[in-house]
Amino acid sequence: MTENSNKLTFAGVDWPVIFIYLALVLIGWLNIYAAVYDEAHANIFDISQRYGMQLVWMGISFFLAVSVLLIDAKYYHILAYPLYWITIVILLGVFVFGKEVNGARSWYEFGPVRIQPTEFVKFTASLAVARAMSSYNFNIHRFSSVATVFFILAIPVGIIMLQNDTGSALVYGAFFFMLFREGFNGWLYVALFMLVTLFVFSFWLEPVPLLLLMLLVCIAGEGALNGRWKQKIVYFAGVLLGALGLYFLFRVLGGEISFYAGLVISSLLSLVVVLIYAFRHRLRNVYLFVLLFVGSLCFTNTIDYVFDNVLQIHQQKRILDLLGLESDLKNWGYNVNQSKIAIGSGGFSGKGFLEGTQTKYDFVPEQSTDFIFCTVGEEWGFLGSAAVVILFGALILKLIAMGERQQETFGRIYCYSVASILFFHFIVNIGMTVGLMPVIGIPLPFFSYGGSSLIAFTVLLFVAVKLDSSKKEHIRRI
Amino acid sequence: MNPARTRILRFAVIATVLILLARLFYLQVVDQRYKVFADNNVLRYEVQYPPRGEVYDRNGEFLVQSKESYDLLVTPRDVKPFDTTLLCNILGVDKALFLREMKKAYQYSRRRPSVLFKQLPKEVKLKLEERNFPGFYTQYRTIRSYPRKIAGNLLGYVGEVNERIIERNPYYKRGDYIGMSGIEQAYEKVLRGTKGVKIQMVDVHGMPKGAYAEGVYDTLATPGSSIVCTIDAKLQALAEELLEGKVGSVVAIEPSTGEILVMASSPSYDPDELVGRERGNNYMKLLRNPRHPLFNRAVMSAYPPGSTFKLVNALVALQEGTLVPENTYPCTNGYHVGRGVKCHSHSSPVDLTAAIQTSCNAYFCYVYRNLVDDKKYGGVKNGFDVWRDYVESFGFGRKLNSDFTNELNGTVPTRELYDRIYRSRWNSLTTVSLSIGQGELGVTMLQMANFIATIANRGYYYIPHVVKEVSGQDSLDRRFYEKHHSKVDPKHFDVVAEAMWRAVNVGGTATGARIDGLDVCGKTGTAQNPHGKDHSTFACFAPLDKPKIAMSVYIENGIWGATIAVPIARVLMEQYLADTVTRPDLVQYIKNLQLSYPAYDRKQQ
């Protein structure tokens, strides 16, 4: 390699991204130091302490970051599949050689060092997906193409689920973000959005108002498309009268029926009228709303079963706590409540470095890993936490911009994948510390203590930087 | 390739950032509750208890001392295996009780200290320190001790606050002590001092992590102020000694200041009994005692005053002009109008001086009836109102507003009361027993002593009080320095005082109180008691000119005033004025005199 080409290796690098990265890693380290600070071990190089160890991980990460930039971009394309399969094998190896930590069997242990392969699979899966989607015969609208992508993602998801690490498995849902950009079916996202909304409302509302709300939304949606509001009012009144009629009819006949059941029967019967109406007037979009209504009805009636029987108890409680339906500050709600106290007590400008009592005195659990953001909130206040949030937002927007200016599909998809993964971690981790998301144990990239996480995110990010810079190199050569 | 979707994604990222910023702004800047929650988490307030103020008598002798005492606390987590038997021996507690208390502490918290035993003496603390039991430690408190063991009811006792007190007064927290009666209660704010606080930071396990903000918010405890009492400890002790075995009370006042020299109530108790670990049991014992030792008879018992009240009627009639000292009335073993009032035999007729000397009942029936029936009032009821006004001006029938809690009003009947009893049909004859201090009258010994002080002062009194000086304060409340004049002109007092002097020194009912050279003046009383033997009472002051002491003695079921009240007063007067007891035989006589109290003791079964 000539001196000239060596210079060129760094020439096209997007320096703002590097700066954001360095800023996040350094701020992260300061907060780890504060979170586990203890007067007896104030030496920052003490590797028996987490901040000392994190310095080691940072050194390794910086070394790897430079290495990634030195390797020619084309190798990432070439090595995508082999790397993917190697990490999958390593991931499977955990079942045999791994160690269980906090109920999740997802760690290798080498003496004092523990490695979590899950973190690295995010990187290789991103490469593999980018490779698959950038092949010439890939078509996002073709089933077999999409199936390939889902296959690549399903293998790690399946293995991670088996290791009982649901949080890390959920991260792969982030790829939907990238797929949206690549033109994946938009209706799927609408449906997904509605499901989440319906899920939340099914907890907040009693069955009768929920059903009425669904009915009203469907009628209003149909009305917005087709007009004829008078008919809608008559129809809605008719359904209500029917429900009341059924309710009292059963009473008179000596039976017993709940108003909810009456309303369900009445609205389902009314669908016959709606279908005939739609057929006569050739209004095809009405079918969609009928489908939506029936689908919602089925969904809300099965959700309780799924919630009670599929989710584990701590997952149920975390969701109930988030929705404000159940408060148990001593057990399930403890983490989030203490996290909110730590962040909330920071005030506008924070308590100052090393002055955060809630984190320093262990009121916040996992304060150097998953709940590291609490230290930021408590010691640096709104100013500090806002700065971190904005840095993350800027980094993600930067990655989207990088993806957009790529000329090759592989690079674009890879950059978007990185943006998606970071976005997911960002929204879920910070969201949970401020009580907007259920507690899902995933780290805050570049911040949380942990070698595997820091190294994996560094490599993940710097491959994107390398792909971006080599594109510029290419242009310059022309 | 797909700019619309890229825009949507960018928008989603920006929206997320904005939502998180808004949420952070709400949590950190808008909602202030989290700061409080955080303080609740991390700050622990450690109370620094001040020593309670001490109480001295008027000569600087200790009445109440604050003794250091220690509460034993335990932090179960830090306890290492130890010799339970040894610890129990040092503490002097039963092993079973000790284990029970330990279990409670474990149940409360393993990491937080809880109080095991309270009010351990200093010796125990030193022994504990010698042996060093990890996990156990002591906390400084003070408890009361009473070197003279006198004046229990006057000084009052200190107890732990209950929920009701905590609710009413936020200063008090669980485990604090408060004055429950007597001076301890009346001067609580002065004696208690101010608690200090040490704010500590603790971690999630409750382990201390150092002072909060380098201790700038910590405060030191301010010790309670000491109090100098008006009581003369020596005299008080003698009074209590003389009263032993009897039921009754003695109150003595310095007329020139209103300072209470003696306030003894019998039966009394050793105030030390209401301190320390046995306090609860002893308190219950005292509470169950049928003679009610916890009841301060000097201010809480309203007695029929008997003949001592004749002095009041004489003064009122003199002021209203319905009586002049030269008026004489006949007495033939009593006053024989209506139901009549009996009298003992003495020469007849008598003038005012002789009537006071001999305590003639008939004379005062005339005095009273002539007063209230006087034409100028236009009816007996109006006359009665005039009489009542005078009586009240002497401090009867109302609280004197002393610095003493639990003062009783006493009773002076009103026109309305008689209207109710007699359906408005009553006259001077119906109420004639008031003339000799019987009937519907109720007077406390504090009120009677105060009245005698008013005679001694020839017309005014200072509100009687028990505290002379509070350290750190220049003066007492202003009301204790104001002269309160009765409605009777000073010029009328001399003849009454003179008559009282004659009753003791020339001849009369009270000659037993005579002390050579001390010019004792007095008036005996024998209050009729429908429930048993008559009560013996004596009110006196000395010397005749520039009086130094006014005293009132009341012995329930003591029969004649002269039987017991007079000798007691005589011994106490001499002790106070001459600092000697020249008649040890009299002391012996008082002590040997056995009085029975079937009304109290019957209840025992």
Side-chain angles (χ1 to χ4, degrees):
Chain A
M1 232 182 243
T2 64
E3 212 184 24
N4 193 28
S5 74
N6 214 348
K7 254 185 202 164
L8 282 171
T9 307
F10 292 98
V13 161
D14 191 324
W15 286 106
V17 170
I18 308 283
F19 285 130
I20 293 175
Y21 163 79
L22 287 173
L24 288 175
V25 171
L26 287 174
I27 297 172
W29 181 82
L30 280 177
N31 284 294
I32 291 170
Y33 182 76
V36 296
Y37 175 73
D38 169 9
E39 269 111 21
H41 302 94
N43 181 2
I44 60 167
F45 296 112
D46 187 343
I47 62 161
S48 72
Q49 297 297 310
R50 288 195 157 178
Y51 40 81
M53 210 54 214
Q54 186 75 352
L55 277 182
V56 175
W57 299 130
M58 279 161 65
I60 296 172
S61 297
F62 294 159
F63 172 76
L64 285 175
V66 174
S67 308
V68 163
L69 293 179
L70 287 174
I71 296 169
D72 197 303
K74 66 174 185 254
Y75 286 108
Y76 298 115
H77 188 272
I78 295 165
L79 291 175
Y81 286 146
L83 280 174
Y84 173 75
W85 287 114
I86 289 167
T87 49
I88 291 294
V89 169
I90 293 172
L91 192 59
L92 280 170
V94 171
F95 287 111
V96 186
F97 308 104
K99 190 178 157 47
E100 192 171 309
V101 174
N102 292 338
R105 193 179 184 83
S106 53
W107 300 80
Y108 280 110
E109 199 169 49
F110 303 107
V113 180
R114 285 204 300 228
I115 287 178
Q116 194 176 18
T118 329
E119 295 295 330
F120 296 95
V121 180
K122 279 178 232 170
F123 162 58
T124 57
S126 301
L127 281 179
V129 166
R131 169 85 188 260
M133 288 179 70
S134 58
S135 75
Y136 289 111
N137 50 11
F138 182 84
N139 181 350
I140 190 90
H141 301 298
R142 206 165 60 215
F143 178 76
S144 62
S145 293
V146 176
T148 316
V149 175
F150 274 80
F151 178 71
I152 292 171
L153 298 176
I155 292 175
V157 168
I159 298 171
I160 295 167
M161 290 285 270
L162 283 176
Q163 290 169 354
N164 201 15
D165 189 359
T166 321
S168 298
L170 282 173
V171 173
Y172 291 85
F175 282 94
F176 278 105
F177 187 84
M178 177 272 288
L179 289 172
F180 182 73
R181 162 65 183 80
E182 295 305 313
F184 203 44
N185 190 346
W187 283 109
L188 198 77
Y189 292 86
V190 175
L192 205 67
F193 177 76
M194 289 201 306
L195 280 183
V196 172
T197 314
L198 208 56
F199 177 82
V200 171
F201 274 96
S202 74
F203 280 97
W204 277 348
L205 296 179
E206 293 293 310
V208 173
L210 181 67
L211 188 60
L212 287 175
L213 187 73
M214 288 179 339
L215 199 60
L216 277 173
V217 167
C218 290
I219 292 171
E222 198 266 345
L225 292 181
N226 301 330
R228 303 191 210 191
W229 288 99
K230 229 180 210 168
Q231 283 182 0
K232 306 294 160 324
I233 295 167
V234 172
Y235 169 73
F236 185 63
V239 172
L240 280 185
L241 277 177
L244 279 173
L246 279 167
Y247 179 72
F248 286 111
L249 186 68
F250 271 83
R251 274 280 168 98
V252 171
L253 294 177
E256 193 74 51
I257 184 176
S258 71
F259 183 71
Y260 177 70
L263 194 58
V264 170
I265 297 169
S266 155
S267 54
L268 284 177
L269 286 176
S270 77
L271 291 182
V272 180
V273 182
V274 174
L275 288 172
I276 293 168
Y277 167 84
F279 181 73
R280 283 217 183 129
H281 292 77
R282 293 169 202 286
L283 290 169
R284 289 184 61 190
N285 56 20
V286 172
Y287 298 123
L288 195 68
F289 284 103
V290 170
L291 199 67
L292 185 65
F293 179 74
V294 175
S296 304
L297 199 61
C298 295
F299 180 76
T300 50
N301 281 294
T302 51
I303 188 77
D304 282 348
Y305 177 81
V306 174
F307 186 79
D308 289 341
N309 294 288
V310 177
L311 291 184
Q312 292 172 20
I313 180 85
H314 69 275
Q315 293 165 338
Q316 294 174 13
K317 294 286 182 183
R318 282 170 179 177
I319 289 168
L320 290 177
D321 183 63
L322 178 73
L323 297 176
L325 295 172
E326 210 173 82
S327 179
D328 183 1
L329 299 183
K330 288 240 155 64
N331 294 307
W332 308 109
Y334 179 81
N335 292 10
V336 174
N337 185 45
Q338 292 298 337
S339 161
K340 285 199 291 197
I341 289 174
I343 293 172
S345 66
F348 184 72
S349 53
K351 296 179 185 170
F353 185 52
L354 299 184
E355 301 292 331
T357 51
Q358 306 303 302
T359 43
K360 203 162 61 171
Y361 298 145
D362 304 336
F363 288 97
V364 181
E366 304 293 337
Q367 76 271 47
S368 63
T369 54
D370 294 350
F371 282 91
I372 186 70
F373 191 71
C374 294
T375 312
V376 183
E378 188 179 16
E379 297 195 344
W380 305 99
F382 176 71
L383 289 179
S385 38
V388 170
V389 167
I390 289 168
L391 278 177
F392 269 108
L395 181 61
I396 294 161
L397 289 175
K398 230 21 196 137
L399 281 162
I400 291 175
M402 276 175 160
E404 287 301 324
R405 69 185 178 218
Q406 289 280 335
Q407 279 149 356
E408 289 184 41
T409 322
F410 177 79
R412 185 183 70 233
I413 290 170
Y414 181 79
C415 285
Y416 261 100
S417 298
V418 176
S420 309
I421 292 168
L422 287 179
F423 188 44
F424 185 87
H425 275 263
F426 164 68
I427 195 172
V428 168
N429 184 286
I430 296 185
M432 93 181 165
T433 59
V434 296
L436 288 180
M437 283 276 166
V439 175
I440 297 171
I442 56 172
L444 185 60
F446 315 122
F447 259 73
S448 293
Y449 169 77
S452 309
S453 153
L454 180 60
I455 293 169
F457 275 114
T458 302
V459 172
L460 184 74
L461 178 68
F462 275 83
V463 169
V465 172
K466 177 65 191 175
L467 292 175
D468 179 57
S469 71
S470 60
K471 168 220 74 187
K472 286 176 192 159
E473 206 177 325
H474 182 64
I475 294 166
R476 208 167 286 123
R477 273 179 196 157
I478 295 167
Chain B
M1 180 182 153
N2 205 334
R5 288 201 165 189
T6 304
R7 225 177 292 135
I8 290 175
L9 293 180
R10 282 198 169 117
F11 174 76
V13 173
I14 293 167
T16 305
V17 167
L18 290 178
I19 288 170
L20 288 176
L21 288 181
R23 175 67 172 172
L24 284 167
F25 190 79
Y26 174 77
L27 280 183
Q28 302 186 293
V29 182
V30 179
D31 194 339
Q32 295 296 313
R33 288 176 307 160
Y34 292 104
K35 282 137 197 103
V36 179
F37 292 154
D39 285 349
N40 288 347
N41 263 347
V42 80
L43 300 185
R44 182 186 293 166
Y45 295 83
E46 265 177 28
V47 180
Q48 310 291 101
Y49 294 101
R52 201 172 166 86
E54 309 193 299
V55 182
Y56 303 90
D57 91 328
R58 63 190 295 115
N59 301 317
E61 211 181 305
F62 267 123
L63 285 178
V64 187
Q65 263 177 315
S66 262
K67 217 165 52 174
E68 6 179 348
S69 104
Y70 294 87
D71 289 352
L72 181 68
L73 286 86
V74 66
T75 309
R77 200 179 86 133
D78 302 338
V79 172
K80 306 228 163 66
F82 63 98
D83 186 343
T84 321
T85 319
L86 178 67
L87 184 55
C88 288
N89 283 344
I90 292 174
L91 296 172
V93 295
D94 185 42
K95 198 164 169 179
L97 174 72
F98 177 81
L99 293 176
R100 217 162 43 237
E101 292 294 323
M102 277 299 276
K103 203 174 150 199
K104 265 193 235 162
Y106 268 94
Q107 278 162 354
Y108 166 64
S109 167
R110 280 172 178 271
R111 298 174 198 262
R112 285 162 207 244
S114 33
V115 177
L116 272 189
F117 296 102
K118 289 177 180 169
Q119 303 187 343
L120 299 167
K122 192 177 177 188
E123 304 82 68
V124 171
K125 181 219 175 201
L126 292 176
K127 271 190 214 158
L128 284 173
E129 270 168 10
E130 230 169 74
R131 299 287 181 159
N132 185 32
F133 295 93
F136 294 88
Y137 66 96
T138 52
Q139 182 177 46
Y140 171 82
R141 304 291 299 263
T142 57
I143 52 168
R144 300 308 239 176
S145 98
Y146 304 85
R148 295 290 311 237
K149 298 189 180 294
I150 52 168
N153 276 315
L154 172 71
L155 298 168
Y157 58 89
V158 169
E160 221 173 288
V161 291
N162 57 30
E163 291 301 322
R164 262 209 349 264
I165 295 170
I166 295 172
E167 228 168 75
R168 264 206 313 265
N169 190 336
Y171 174 86
Y172 296 100
K173 299 278 177 291
R174 195 169 302 216
D176 283 0
Y177 294 126
I178 187 172
M180 296 288 218
S181 69
I183 291 175
E184 299 277 18
Q185 185 184 25
Y187 284 84
E188 164 68 14
K189 277 206 178 117
V190 175
L191 291 169
R192 76 182 178 200
T194 314
K195 283 185 287 186
V197 69
K198 218 163 103 187
I199 309 174
Q200 281 226 315
M201 295 193 291
V202 293
D203 71 3
V204 68
H205 308 302
M207 300 300 282
K209 288 286 175 185
Y212 172 63
E214 267 114 43
V216 292
Y217 299 108
D218 293 2
T219 52
L220 284 172
T222 322
S225 307
S226 60
I227 279 181
V228 177
C229 234
T230 60
I231 296 295
D232 184 316
K234 214 168 165 187
L235 198 63
Q236 173 83 21
L238 182 60
E240 288 187 15
E241 196 187 324
L242 296 175
L243 285 177
E244 221 166 83
K246 288 119 195 134
V247 176
S249 64
V250 174
V251 175
I253 295 174
E254 186 177 68
S256 57
T257 55
E259 290 171 5
I260 296 173
L261 301 169
V262 171
M263 185 184 277
S265 167
S266 180
S268 188
Y269 61 91
D270 176 359
D272 269 330
E273 284 187 3
L274 292 186
V275 176
R277 260 183 278 156
E278 283 302 301
R279 175 176 178 267
N281 292 338
N282 289 338
Y283 184 80
M284 287 320 289
K285 238 186 267 168
L286 290 172
L287 207 60
R288 291 206 191 97
N289 187 323
R291 292 194 186 184
H292 308 302
L294 287 172
F295 187 65
N296 187 357
R297 289 178 160 77
V299 287
M300 294 168 78
S301 265
Y303 295 113
S307 305
T308 49
F309 198 75
K310 290 170 183 166
L311 302 172
V312 178
N313 288 325
L315 287 165
V316 176
L318 287 170
Q319 175 68 28
E320 281 297 298
T322 59
L323 170 73
V324 288
E326 295 75 28
N327 284 146
T328 56
Y329 297 107
C331 173
T332 48
N333 282 334
Y335 182 72
H336 306 294
V337 185
R339 281 187 301 167
V341 175
K342 282 183 193 149
C343 194
H344 55 101
S345 45
H346 54 79
S347 63
S348 171
V350 286
D351 64 358
L352 177 60
T353 305
I356 290 175
Q357 264 177 276
T358 56
S359 196
C360 173
N361 285 344
Y363 189 90
F364 286 95
C365 290
Y366 289 110
V367 169
Y368 173 76
R369 292 195 66 195
N370 290 347
L371 172 73
V372 297
D373 284 338
D374 200 279
K375 285 194 189 71
K376 64 182 170 195
Y377 307 127
V380 62
K381 293 186 183 178
N382 294 337
F384 178 81
D385 282 344
V386 170
W387 173 84
R388 192 181 189 285
D389 246 23
Y390 279 105
V391 173
E392 203 164 58
S393 80
F394 285 115
F396 294 112
R398 61 179 168 86
K399 290 191 175 79
L400 289 168
N401 202 12
S402 152
D403 57 350
F404 203 81
T405 53
N406 306 331
E407 226 188 295
L408 213 67
N409 276 329
T411 46
V412 176
T414 57
R415 173 180 179 160
E416 290 74 29
L417 179 76
Y418 286 128
D419 280 346
R420 245 198 340 272
I421 298 175
Y422 301 109
R423 304 218 179 115
S424 297
R425 283 201 299 273
W426 57 278
N427 53 37
S428 59
L429 199 57
T430 330
T431 59
V432 75
S433 30
L434 295 176
S435 66
I436 56 163
Q438 298 288 152
E440 290 76 10
L441 276 171
V443 166
T444 68
M445 281 310 97
L446 184 70
Q447 288 170 335
M448 184 48 77
N450 182 55
F451 167 65
I452 297 300
T454 313
I455 296 178
N457 286 335
R458 313 296 198 266
Y460 63 88
Y461 67 88
Y462 292 98
I463 295 177
H465 49 281
V466 284
V467 168
K468 198 174 163 67
E469 228 177 276
V470 173
S471 74
Q473 286 182 17
D474 291 341
S475 60
L476 300 173
D477 194 282
R478 269 189 54 205
R479 68 180 196 272
F480 298 124
Y481 304 117
E482 284 165 6
K483 279 184 187 174
H484 292 256
H485 287 274
S486 75
K487 287 185 149 187
V488 176
D489 197 276
K491 68 181 178 207
H492 298 300
F493 284 88
D494 276 325
V495 61
V496 172
E498 193 80 23
M500 288 170 76
W501 182 83
R502 291 179 70 88
V504 176
N505 294 287
V506 177
T509 50
T511 46
R514 184 188 147 82
I515 309 165
D516 286 336
L518 290 182
D519 286 331
V520 175
C521 315
K523 175 79 200 77
T524 55
T526 304
Q528 282 165 29
N529 176 13
H531 311 293
K533 289 187 177 150
D534 290 349
H535 303 310
S536 162
T537 170
F538 183 57
C540 57
F541 68 93
L544 178 62
D545 298 314
K546 294 194 184 132
K548 286 193 180 137
I549 183 167
M551 187 185 292
S552 160
V553 182
Y554 205 99
I555 305 295
E556 293 182 28
N557 299 11
I559 318 173
W560 299 98
T563 352
I564 176 130
V566 171
I568 289 176
R570 188 204 180 279
V571 172
L572 290 174
M573 290 261 178
E574 189 178 28
Q575 172 63 45
Y576 183 70
L577 295 170
D579 197 18
T580 170
V581 178
T582 53
R583 295 275 307 273
D585 62 304
L586 212 50
V587 173
Q588 210 49 53
Y589 159 78
I590 296 164
K591 285 188 180 172
N592 290 342
L593 191 69
Q594 292 296 319
L595 297 176
S596 65
Y597 294 94
Y600 291 121
D601 298 340
R602 200 183 300 135
K603 287 181 215 152
Q604 210 158 9
Q605 288 109 37

